[in-house]
């Protein structure tokens, strides 16, 4: 056993390269994955619910989109595929995850509209039209609140954030906390034990 988690900056586990296949909005995706990143062997069920139940941007979407905690890049690749005139920022603390997302964007011909970055590399003045995240609940409640308090204020005034959280891991309490922080929060959907939250100013 190693001490690695998907939020480890530099995973020590051997990469054990593999591929993950899934379908979103009628399009098939085959992405590279590896050990040491979030949900390395399949499209995470929460991410699948998010991509199925949230409102994907369309070809007319513009501005900057954020995939917060991108893992190997499934949300990034879907957003960059459907939002052909927007720029999608893929942010993760995990170096291996960023490498995989870069590879997958290139594999799909999306490199011109994907920016893969460590959190501290994102320009401080950048504001996002949309934020998408299957947030890292297992970092702990305090750390999760700090993460969202750092990034949600970077929504553009008319922006929207889409979050998915397992009900048994605190989806309902997170919704209450966000409302207490002054955000407008609607439960967009509940499916397979997950809550999809729509967050606006």
């Amino acid at each position: 056993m190693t001490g690695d988690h998907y939020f480890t900056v530099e995973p020590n586990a051997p990469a054990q390269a593999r591929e993950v296949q899934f379908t979103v909005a009628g399009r098939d995706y085959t992405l590279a994955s590896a050990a040491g990143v979030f949900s390395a062997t399949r499209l995470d069920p929460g991410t699948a619910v998010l991509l199925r139940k949230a409102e994907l941007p369309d070809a007319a979407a513009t501005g900057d989109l954020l995939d917060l905690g991108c893992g190997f890049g499934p949300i990034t690749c879907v957003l960059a595929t459907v939002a052909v005139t927007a720029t999608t920022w893929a942010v993760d603390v995990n170096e291996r995850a960023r490498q995989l997302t870069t590879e997958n964007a290139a594999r799909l011909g999306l490199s011109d509209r994907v920016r893969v970055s460590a959190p501290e590399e994102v320009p401080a003045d950048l504001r996002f039209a949309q934020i998408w995240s299957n947030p890292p609940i297992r970092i702990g409640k305090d750390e999760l609140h700090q993460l969202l308090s750092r990034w949600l204020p970077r929504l553009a005034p008319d922006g929207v954030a889409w979050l998915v959280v397992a009900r048994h891991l605190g989806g309902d309490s997170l919704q209450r906390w966000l409302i207490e922080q002054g955000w407008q929060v609607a439960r967009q959907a509940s499916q397979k034990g997950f809550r999809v939250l729509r967050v606006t100013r």
Side-chain angles (χ1 to χ4, degrees), residues 129-150:
Q130 297 187 20
I131 295 175
W132 288 69
S133 188
N134 182 349
I137 298 299
R138 297 187 187 280
I139 62 176
K141 181 179 290 187
D142 290 345
E143 290 82 359
L144 175 66
H145 289 175
Q146 290 175 19
L147 178 75
L148 295 176
S149 295
R150 174 181 180 181

Side-chain angles (χ1 to χ4, degrees), residues 107-185:
R107 173 187 291 208
L108 295 175
L110 304 172
S111 297
D112 61 329
R113 52 184 184 271
V114 170
R115 304 288 181 269
V116 181
S117 301
E120 65 275 10
E121 295 171 344
V122 180
D125 59 348
L126 193 64
R127 295 297 176 262
F128 297 101
Q130 297 187 20
I131 295 175
W132 288 69
S133 188
N134 182 349
I137 298 299
R138 297 187 187 280
I139 62 176
K141 181 179 290 187
D142 290 345
E143 290 82 359
L144 175 66
H145 289 175
Q146 290 175 19
L147 178 75
L148 295 176
S149 295
R150 174 181 180 181
W151 291 98
L152 286 178
R154 301 185 67 169
L155 273 177
D158 58 349
V160 59
W162 296 100
L163 309 177
V164 63
V165 185
R167 180 183 57 79
H168 75 279
L169 292 177
D172 294 341
S173 63
L174 180 63
Q175 181 174 0
R176 290 192 296 270
W177 177 80
L178 288 167
I179 291 170
E180 290 169 359
Q181 304 309 303
W183 297 98
Q184 303 296 314
V185 186

Side-chain angles (χ1 to χ4, degrees), residues 4 19 22 44 54 59-61 63 69 72 85 87 91 95 103 119 136 141 146 148 153 166 173 177 180:
D4 286 351
E19 290 188 334
F22 59 92
D44 175 74
F72 62 87
T85 59
T87 298
V91 172
E95 182 181 20
E103 176 184 339
K141 181 179 290 187
Q146 290 175 19
L148 295 176
S173 63
W177 177 80
E180 290 169 359

Side-chain angles (χ1 to χ4, degrees), residues 1-2 27 30 32 68 72 83 132 137 141 164 180 190 194:
M1 294 292 292
T2 73
R27 176 173 178 135
T30 300
L68 180 59
F72 62 87
W132 288 69
I137 298 299
K141 181 179 290 187
V164 63
E180 290 169 359
S190 295
F194 293 96

Side-chain angles (χ1 to χ4, degrees), residues 7-31:
F7 43 84
T8 298
V9 174
E10 296 182 5
N12 293 313
Q16 297 175 333
R18 63 200 71 184
E19 290 188 334
V20 174
Q21 298 179 339
F22 59 92
T23 302
V24 173
R27 176 173 178 135
D28 296 329
Y29 295 82
T30 300
L31 303 185

Side-chain angles (χ1 to χ4, degrees), residues 42-61:
R42 62 174 180 165
L43 182 66
D44 175 74
T47 299
V49 171
L50 179 65
L51 290 170
R52 184 163 55 245
K53 293 297 185 179
E55 298 170 9
L56 289 171
D58 59 22

Side-chain angles (χ1 to χ4, degrees), residues 61-79:
T62 58
D64 292 284
L65 315 179
L66 172 63
D67 176 8
L68 180 59
C70 63
F72 62 87
I75 293 175
T76 291
C77 289
V78 171
L79 294 179

